[in-house]
Amino acid sequence: METKKWGKAVLYGLVTIFIIALATSLVFSLLLKFTSLKESSITWLLVGLSVLALFIGGFVAGGNGKEKGWLVGGITALLYSLIIFLFKFLGYGLIFNMEDFMYHGGFLLAAMIGGVFGVNMTSSRAK
């Protein structure tokens, strides 16, 4: 596969992830502001939605890459984790702890699985 094709696929996957994350953040910030919900009560829901966002981003990346979905999805997740790490480190002066590594390991797995499904869905439509 051409590097240009992989780059385009990964970019589409990353944009998809960040659009979903932005929409989710907007909805939940409004819910937290205007209702009696507490952040601690929706933590696991947000983690689940994050995993879903990475799965969908991997799916989009794999679908656009059309082959080696696990690799394209994995690269998408690794770049996402790098962006989050840089934001956290440069913006807040914090580094990843063991909990963050576990979350991002799960994100990596979800995006890789999404990439495999994305490749298989697009190849089955092409037949």
Side-chain angles (χ1 to χ4, degrees), residues 60-119:
V60 169
N64 284 314
K66 295 190 178 36
E67 63 185 39
K68 295 187 182 178
W70 65 273
L71 186 59
V72 176
I75 291 170
T76 303
L78 289 174
L79 283 175
Y80 170 80
S81 294
L82 177 66
I83 292 168
I84 297 302
F85 173 78
L86 289 174
F87 184 84
K88 189 173 181 177
F89 180 71
L90 296 174
Y92 295 104
L94 302 172
I95 59 171
F96 275 6
N97 56 25
M98 189 53 73
E99 185 179 9
D100 292 331
F101 279 116
M102 290 185 346
Y103 284 137
H104 285 270
F107 295 160
L108 174 65
L109 187 62
M112 290 171 79
I113 293 169
V116 170
F117 278 109
V119 167

Side-chain angles (χ1 to χ4, degrees), residues 41-78:
S41 65
I42 59 170
T43 301
W44 287 108
L45 178 61
L46 293 175
V47 170
L49 289 173
S50 298
V51 170
L52 182 63
L54 267 290
F55 177 83
I56 293 170
F59 185 88
V60 169
N64 284 314
K66 295 190 178 36
E67 63 185 39
K68 295 187 182 178
W70 65 273
L71 186 59
V72 176
I75 291 170
T76 303
L78 289 174

Side-chain angles (χ1 to χ4, degrees), residues 9-60:
V10 169
L11 181 63
Y12 281 145
L14 281 172
V15 167
T16 302
I17 291 167
F18 282 110
I19 287 173
I20 293 170
L22 183 64
T24 304
S25 296
L26 177 65
V27 168
F28 281 101
S29 65
L30 291 173
L31 283 173
L32 289 170
K33 175 73 176 170
F34 296 113
T35 67
S36 62
L37 275 177
K38 301 291 181 217
E39 190 174 348
S40 60
S41 65
I42 59 170
T43 301
W44 287 108
L45 178 61
L46 293 175
V47 170
L49 289 173
S50 298
V51 170
L52 182 63
L54 267 290
F55 177 83
I56 293 170
F59 185 88
V60 169

